């Protein structure tokens, strides 16, 4: 029987080459897979904070902006509407906003940083419908009774919220409208989706 001479250097070279080529192939296969896990520019834009100009918002008016595909309502309240909120404490489920649905700076009687402005997600906490803005003495108000002081009404299932987004007792919605994170950039601009500059006192 003839003995076969083993060239160890050649064997080492072939093993190293095969390892390098195999590793490069595995890396080339992994890169496209990993890139699918990173969010696209469109996805990042959807989740990004949104600036809203409130300079042109008249008293009693509501502005709607989109953040993360959801409607955010910005309502400018007058002094009378603000004063009437305390009169409804016995009629709403969570008058002091004890349920965690707002940042720390909105845990007050107005549910806002500035009493003049209410900023909430325009989504009913019952089944995700979008309530209508029912001003005192206008539109849907006739269906809500003579003592209706203004607020939001969900025609789908009858849930009602006051001008602080607090839910009334005896309706399907279990909790107040959600206050999104936000901060004021100036007297006329608000940033929805980022409250990193708000300091807890």
């Amino acid at each position: 029987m003839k003995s076969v001479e083993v060239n160890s250097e050649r064997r080492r070279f072939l093993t190293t080459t095969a390892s390098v080529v195999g590793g490069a192939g595995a890396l080339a296969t992994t890169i496209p897979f990993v890139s699918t896990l990173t969010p696209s520019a469109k996805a990042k834009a959807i989740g990004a904070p949104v600036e809203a100009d409130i300079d042109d918002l008249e008293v009693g008016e509501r502005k709607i902006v989109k953040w993360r595909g959801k409607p955010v309502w910005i309502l400018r309240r007058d002094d009378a509407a603000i004063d009437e909120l305390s009169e409804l404490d016995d009629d709403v489920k969570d008058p002091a906003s004890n349920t965690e649905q707002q940042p720390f700076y909105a845990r007050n009687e107005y549910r806002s940083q500035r009493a003049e402005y209410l900023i909430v997600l325009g989504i009913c906490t019952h089944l995700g419908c979008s309530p209508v803005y029912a001003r005192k003495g206008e539109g849907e108000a006739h269906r809500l009774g003579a003592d209706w002081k203004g607020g939001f009404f969900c025609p789908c299932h009858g849930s009602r919220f006051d001008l602080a987004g607090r839910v009334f007792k005896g309706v399907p919605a279990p909790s107040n409208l959600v206050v999104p994170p936000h901060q004021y950039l100036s007297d006329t601009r608000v940033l929805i989706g980022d409250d990193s500059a708000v300091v807890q006192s």
Side-chain angles (χ1 to χ4, degrees), residues 117-129:
Y117 295 102
L118 172 71
I119 300 175
V120 291
L121 293 183
I123 298 173
C124 181
T125 54
H126 176 223
L127 291 177
C129 305

Side-chain angles (χ1 to χ4, degrees), residues 96-177:
S97 298
N98 291 320
T99 304
E100 294 290 330
Q101 284 174 288
Q102 57 278 312
F104 67 88
Y105 46 80
R107 262 183 231 127
N108 53 50
E109 58 189 309
Y110 316 115
R111 297 191 75 230
S112 63
Q113 288 184 57
R114 299 181 182 180
E116 187 178 3
Y117 295 102
L118 172 71
I119 300 175
V120 291
L121 293 183
I123 298 173
C124 181
T125 54
H126 176 223
L127 291 177
C129 305
S130 188
V132 296
Y133 175 32
R135 292 190 191 199
K136 183 178 184 177
E138 294 180 16
E140 293 285 339
H142 70 280
R143 295 174 59 184
L144 303 170
D147 59 345
W148 178 251
K149 299 181 186 306
F152 310 101
F153 170 65
C154 186
C156 303
H157 306 100
S159 293
R160 295 179 296 141
F161 305 86
D162 71 0
L163 288 175
R166 300 179 302 176
V167 67
F168 281 86
K169 295 175 181 175
V171 300
S175 52
N176 298 338
L177 295 176

